[in-house]
Amino acid sequence: VQAPPLLLCFLLCFLLLCSALLPPLARLETVSGVAGAAAVVVVVSAMSSGRGGGHVLTPATLVGGLDLEYSIHTVPLAQRDDVLAVVSMLSKEEAKDLKVVATCQRAREDLVTVGEQVEREKDRLLLVFTSWAKALCASLDKDGHWCDYIDPCSGLLMVHKESQAVYDEVAALSVLRGYKCSNAGCCKVVLHPNWGSFIYPATFLTTAPHDVLLRHIGAIEAKDHVKG
């Protein structure tokens, strides 16, 4: 039995209205239904929100000997404009190969709080990340791969300092890993599913192929000089 044309028209208009509220990659596809009736299917890309996992190349993995967890991602649409502004020195073709290595360190103090111990812990975590990132950067650069890392204090690139675009670590982890955020006074903090606010996020960027990147990360895991 065919559905009345007026009902189909109403259904189509309703779904079009709903699709306007969906993420950017939502689209409508019309497919043939039984007995000639039209069915409208809303298709939402997993990458549209950045949380569906379509951009994840390596899930959260703990670096041996460190309380440093990393995951590797292609750049999701929800983050693309922000990331491209940071790496503006790359051509469009080079930027297509960009990987985001999102790292989290497990802090010994609750970093939402303040005090001398918290500041010392932030300094320790910064040293661990920068030592690890410098070692990885040197290894990849020697192989001819573009790479850089974000200064967690300023949000700016540490190697290619001509870029003045600020990278938002909290927003990035929210998109890349789907982590929840919380307000702490005038600041937003990201919450790790296991560590809560005992977390220190930082980011590494490279155009190296995924398998090459994994090999280089594995080669520096046991280096004593990155331990805090």
Side-chain angles (χ1 to χ4, degrees):
V1 179
Q2 286 192 341
L6 186 60
L7 178 61
L8 287 175
C9 183
F10 174 78
L11 178 62
L12 180 59
C13 291
F14 175 76
L15 289 173
L16 284 170
L17 178 63
C18 290
S19 70
L21 303 176
L22 293 171
L25 284 186
R27 69 183 190 278
L28 294 177
E29 292 181 356
T30 303
V31 297
S32 296
V34 179
V40 180
V41 181
V42 179
V43 182
V44 183
S45 167
M47 283 182 61
S48 60
S49 67
R51 300 179 184 179
H55 55 83
V56 180
L57 299 176
T58 298
T61 305
L62 205 61
V63 173
L66 297 174
D67 276 333
L68 186 147
E69 186 184 74
Y70 72 89
S71 55
I72 303 174
H73 310 257
T74 56
V75 183
L77 287 181
Q79 201 192 11
R80 187 164 296 170
D81 289 345
D82 293 336
V83 173
L84 291 182
V86 172
V87 297
S88 57
M89 70 291 302
L90 293 179
S91 68
K92 287 185 178 180
E93 284 303 309
E94 290 171 325
K96 288 179 182 178
D97 295 325
L98 192 66
K99 315 289 185 305
V100 180
V101 184
T103 78
C104 300
Q105 287 184 75
R106 186 174 187 171
R108 297 168 185 169
E109 304 285 340
D110 185 351
L111 300 187
V112 172
T113 61
V114 295
E116 188 177 336
Q117 279 187 308
V118 173
E119 293 308 311
R120 281 201 300 266
E121 176 64 355
K122 287 180 180 178
D123 289 342
R124 182 189 72 83
L125 295 165
L126 175 63
L127 178 61
V128 171
F129 171 72
T130 54
S131 297
W132 181 83
K134 283 178 182 177
L136 182 55
C137 222
S139 182
L140 286 168
D141 185 63
K142 190 176 179 180
D143 256 9
H145 301 292
W146 184 95
C147 53
D148 209 324
Y149 54 100
I150 304 294
D151 175 8
C153 299
S154 66
L156 300 174
L157 290 177
M158 289 295 289
V159 179
H160 301 86
K161 296 189 177 182
E162 64 269 29
S163 173
Q164 292 301 303
V166 175
Y167 186 85
D168 188 337
E169 297 283 4
V170 172
L173 270 185
S174 178
V175 171
L176 295 172
R177 295 198 188 180
Y179 285 178
K180 293 180 180 179
C181 296
S182 177
N183 290 319
C186 60
C187 301
K188 265 195 170 183
V189 295
V190 66
L191 302 176
H192 191 281
N194 298 318
W195 307 336
S197 55
F198 287 68
I199 177 180
Y200 190 85
T203 300
F204 188 93
L205 302 167
T206 183
T207 56
H210 181 224
D211 58 334
V212 172
L213 176 56
L214 284 175
R215 187 171 70 249
H216 282 264
I217 289 175
I220 66 166
E221 280 187 2
K223 289 194 175 181
D224 291 336
H225 69 277
V226 300
K227 291 183 180 179

